[in-house]
């Protein structure tokens, strides 16, 4: 068994950094191991215009501790009023790398998201023309659709029709949680990819609900049955270039997670690389970890891979904090439920 693994420095293709004190607290957790990340725009108010993204990027870079390198890859939050010309200008300047679609009401801070998909057709047309990817939160929100079915129904009702209407549009299905999503991505040769989170490779829905409710395992899309977790592990460890890491690391203060109406999100930035090494080792696929975390994402986005490397070393159980402190509050770090043995030397 290998005891040491050197790979190109990874990137995170789906990350929530928030703002203010929370941003300052969580940014080093990602920047320690990752060179770049696609930064989610669901702030309050959301990052809608190119000027919002430029200001947010400046705040992220200002929050970066001295001596750390990190490149935020900015996104815009798609609304029914998004101006295609503003999107095109933000892309042309190199600032914006993707546009994020939240169906209205699907998740945290998604109230300004899209209800009428016809209204975003002109933006999607422009994005197809300029080669700017659309990142989708792939869940329908219709009340009659069971929460465990919302991703699979999204594929049929929204994603497939949108892709047919805009054949040139590059699309990333974010944080996929089902075998249906993995199969759909595999059924398309070009222009469709998917991110997979760290936590969805580890937990299924039992982890959230058996033996007491575990708010720190609650996220959206919610974890599904075991068969789906296994399908995600197969996709992530396959080496297939259409699948890449997007942690969806999403910090919330503990008092809002441990709450009668707890927020959705797992905070995995701190230990993601150790967890993934453990998962890939369990699957006998350590030789494909680099593809998932460092090669496939840049390949999809048409960006260069990182030149420098990190080294993972197997040894005694690694230690990491159970919580980090953020502006006088705490944020619980994802607990995979088993010891981790891969230390990261970045
Ligand atoms: O679990 C989640 N948390 N899913 C999302 O889609 C949003 C995220 C957040 O912003 O907290
Ligand atoms: Zn997210």
């Amino acid at each position: 068994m290998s005891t040491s693994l050197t790979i190109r420095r990874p990137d995170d293709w789906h990350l929530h950094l928030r703002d203010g004190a929370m941003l300052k607290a969580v940014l080093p957790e990602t920047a320690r191991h990752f060179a770049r990340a696609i930064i989610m725009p669901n702030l309050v108010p959301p990052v809608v215009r190119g000027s919002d993204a430029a200001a947010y990027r400046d705040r992220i870079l200002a929050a970066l501790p001295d001596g750390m390198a990190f490149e935020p890859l900015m996104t815009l939050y798609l609304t029914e009023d998004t101006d295609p010309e503003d999107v095109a200008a933000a892309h042309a300047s190199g600032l914006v790398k993707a546009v994020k679609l939240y169906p209205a009401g699907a998740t945290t801070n998604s109230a300004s998201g899209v209800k009428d998909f016809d209204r975003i057709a002109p933006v999607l047309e422009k994005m197809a023309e300029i080669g700017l990817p659309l990142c989708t939160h792939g869940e329908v929100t219709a009340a009659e659709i069971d929460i465990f079915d919302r991703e699979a129904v999204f594929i049929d009702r929204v994603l497939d029709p949108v892709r047919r209407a805009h054949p040139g549009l590059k699309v990333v299905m974010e944080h996929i949680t089902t075998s249906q999503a993995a199969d759909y991505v595999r059924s398309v040769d070009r222009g469709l990819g998917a991110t997979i989170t760290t936590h969805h490779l580890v937990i299924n829905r039992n982890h959230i609900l058996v033996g007491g409710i575990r708010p720190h395992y609650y996220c959206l899309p919610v974890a599904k049955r075991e068969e789906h977790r296994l399908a995600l592990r197969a996709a992530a460890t396959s080496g297939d270039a259409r699948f890449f890491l997007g942690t969806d690391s999403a910090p919330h203060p503990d008092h809002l997670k441990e709450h009668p109406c707890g927020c959705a999100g797992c905070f995995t930035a701190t230990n993601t690389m150790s967890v993934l090494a453990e998962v890939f080792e369990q699957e006998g696929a350590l030789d494909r970890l680099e593809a998932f975390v460092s090669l496939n994402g840049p390949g999809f986005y048409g960006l260069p891979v990182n030149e420098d490397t990190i080294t993972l070393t197997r040894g005694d159980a690694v230690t990491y904090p159970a919580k980090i402190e953020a502006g006088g509050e705490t944020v619980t770090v994802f607990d995979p439920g088993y010891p981790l043995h891969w230390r990261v030397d970045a």
Side-chain angles (χ1 to χ4, degrees), residues 196-258:
I196 300 178
T197 76
T198 307
H199 50 283
H200 286 114
L201 297 173
V202 176
I203 61 167
N204 63 32
R205 62 192 199 177
N206 281 13
H207 292 84
I208 312 171
L209 296 170
V210 171
I213 191 157
R214 316 281 170 154
H216 296 290
Y217 289 151
Y218 172 62
C219 66
L220 288 170
V222 69
K224 309 295 192 296
R225 290 175 179 276
E226 176 65 357
E227 69 197 58
H228 296 290
R229 186 185 72 103
L230 296 177
L232 298 176
R233 282 170 85 106
T237 60
S238 65
D240 186 326
R242 291 168 286 198
F243 299 104
F244 39 93
L245 175 66
T247 65
D248 199 16
S249 181
H252 293 275
D254 283 336
H255 70 95
L256 295 179
K257 292 284 295 173
E258 300 161 8

Side-chain angles (χ1 to χ4, degrees), residues 277-290:
E278 202 84 24
V279 166
F280 276 66
E281 181 182 41
Q282 290 162 3
E283 298 291 327
L286 277 172
D287 58 331
R288 295 199 277 272
L289 180 61
E290 186 181 41

